[in-house]
Amino acid sequence: FQKHEFFVDMTCEGCSNAVTRVLHRLGGVNFDIDLPNKKVYIDSEHNVDTLLETLKKTGKNASYLGVKSA
């Protein structure tokens, strides 16, 4: 899978927990949350649009930054 990099406007543990919740619900994802830099890195078979819509379900501002180089 490609690792996709997203910006999510997270300010606290509660925000990152919300991201964790929606991604677990989606399923089929491996992800890392970088809270200080407000980044979420996702390995998934889902397309970018699906992932972005899922992240937006947290109610946070989210945007796609591109494919993360290994």
Side-chain angles (χ1 to χ4, degrees):
F1 300 139
Q2 287 181 311
K3 189 164 243 187
H4 298 289
E5 184 176 351
F6 294 87
F7 167 85
V8 181
D9 195 14
M10 302 173 289
T11 52
C12 63
E13 286 292 319
C15 301
S16 61
N17 291 341
V19 169
T20 300
R21 255 195 320 278
V22 294
L23 290 175
H24 276 305
R25 213 173 290 148
L26 178 63
V29 294
N30 288 321
F31 60 93
D32 293 305
I33 297 175
D34 178 355
L35 187 54
N37 293 311
K38 303 185 178 191
K39 302 272 181 71
V40 180
Y41 304 104
I42 305 176
D43 258 337
S44 175
E45 61 212 10
H46 298 288
N47 66 35
V48 169
D49 292 335
T50 302
L51 296 171
L52 189 55
E53 284 309 305
T54 300
L55 289 171
K56 286 182 175 176
K57 286 179 186 168
T58 60
K60 301 286 169 205
N61 183 12
S63 55
Y64 181 56
L65 298 175
V67 174
K68 172 117 170 83
S69 45

